Amino acid sequence: DRELERGLRGLVGSGSSQVSVGAALRARDAARPSEQDLAEADRNLTIVRRNWVPREELPRNR
């Protein structure tokens, strides 16, 4: 339990990380979105750029 807590503090705490390179790479791979996540984002995500006004009204059916 103590090693697990130390690893978690290394990921979220301030200062330099105490997580090994291998653990950081595994965390990066685990955080990657799946194909299903990307498809859902394409269907449901509306991107609004700052200081940009669309030519037509954005859909409001949410």
Side-chain angles (χ1 to χ4, degrees), residues 41-55:
D42 279 341
R43 283 192 311 274
N44 299 323
L45 184 66
T46 301
I47 298 174
V48 179
R49 291 177 180 82
R50 192 180 289 194
N51 299 323
W52 179 79
V53 180
R55 292 185 183 150

Side-chain angles (χ1 to χ4, degrees), residues 6-51:
R6 181 177 182 210
L8 291 173
R9 278 189 279 125
L11 285 173
V12 298
S14 63
S16 63
S17 176
Q18 296 181 11
V19 177
S20 69
V21 173
L25 292 173
R26 286 191 304 276
R28 180 198 63 188
D29 290 341
R32 285 196 178 136
S34 67
E35 292 295 323
Q36 181 180 356
D37 294 332
L38 294 174
E40 185 177 335
D42 279 341
R43 283 192 311 274
N44 299 323
L45 184 66
T46 301
I47 298 174
V48 179
R49 291 177 180 82
R50 192 180 289 194
N51 299 323

